[in-house]
Amino acid sequence: MKYVKTLLLLLPIVVVLTAGGLAGKKIKLFNGKDLSGWTIYGTEKWYVEDGLLVCESGPDEAYGYLGTDEHYKDFELELEFKQGADGNSGVFIRSTVDGTKVSGWQVEVAPPGHDTGGIYESYGRGWLVKPEPEKDKALKFGKWNKMKIRVEGDRVTSWVNGTEMVDFSDAKIGEGEGGICLQIHDGGGIKVYWRNIKLRKL
């Protein structure tokens, strides 16, 4: 009987630890083979080549998005990107897409001097916060870059190659709901490669 009581006392602790372990496990959002778990929005090109996710301007030279089918609220996202031609792209958080109109917040991916790591609200308030200019040297244009984005409550923090770019809190972001979207900017002539896209729920 004493043994049973001990098990009953320990059971809630085991449940909490198990749930915490599941919450902290990294999951791959991109499998390196196909676009399973993602939806293409628009006519721009999204495809897999040599284990890499590639976005490339199409003939319409319009905005395009690749969004996760699942929504994520609080998380830490890690990915790598390499900019080819132009390289104007972005990573949207808690976002939804209707046609090619996105609602949400973008962590910028752009050529040097164009605020990679900053936070932009599309079809809304525009730039919410930009990194300090000297932090732009963290970006390695034309080479692989590591980006980390932490979203928790109303706070968003971004890093590029280990350098903290912005740490920003905003009530509207805190209320946001949606998935993660990768963007290709309009204008044509853009190509960006992605790999090792992993997410850990908080």
Side-chain angles (χ1 to χ4, degrees), residues 52-79:
L52 304 177
L53 173 58
V54 187
C55 63
E56 186 176 2
S57 295
D60 291 339
E61 299 183 350
Y63 282 105
Y65 300 90
L66 183 71
T68 59
D69 296 335
E70 187 173 341
H71 288 185
Y72 299 98
K73 186 70 174 178
D74 291 344
F75 58 85
E76 207 168 73
L77 176 69
E78 295 178 357
L79 56 80

Side-chain angles (χ1 to χ4, degrees), residues 112-123:
H114 290 83
D115 307 303
T116 290
I119 301 173
Y120 186 89
E121 182 180 274
S122 294
Y123 302 101

Side-chain angles (χ1 to χ4, degrees), residues 3-72:
Y3 178 71
V4 173
K5 288 181 178 179
T6 302
L7 283 177
L8 290 174
L9 287 170
L10 289 174
L11 186 59
I13 298 173
V14 173
V15 170
V16 170
L17 289 174
T18 302
L22 290 173
K25 185 179 180 181
K26 288 184 181 180
I27 56 174
K28 287 184 177 181
L29 297 186
F30 170 56
N31 62 21
K33 299 176 182 178
D34 54 39
L35 300 182
S36 298
W38 298 82
T39 296
I40 296 173
Y41 299 91
T43 58
E44 306 311 288
K45 300 175 184 177
W46 298 89
Y47 56 94
V48 180
E49 184 177 77
D50 298 327
L52 304 177
L53 173 58
V54 187
C55 63
E56 186 176 2
S57 295
D60 291 339
E61 299 183 350
Y63 282 105
Y65 300 90
L66 183 71
T68 59
D69 296 335
E70 187 173 341
H71 288 185
Y72 299 98

Side-chain angles (χ1 to χ4, degrees), residues 81 83 110-117 131-146 159-165:
F81 66 87
Q83 297 151 296
H114 290 83
D115 307 303
T116 290
E132 297 167 4
E134 62 269 20
K135 293 185 176 182
D136 192 60
K137 62 186 178 183
L139 177 68
K140 301 174 183 177
F141 189 77
K143 299 181 179 180
W144 284 107
N145 294 270
K146 292 183 178 182
W159 293 263
V160 174
N161 296 321
T163 297
E164 183 183 287
M165 305 304 280

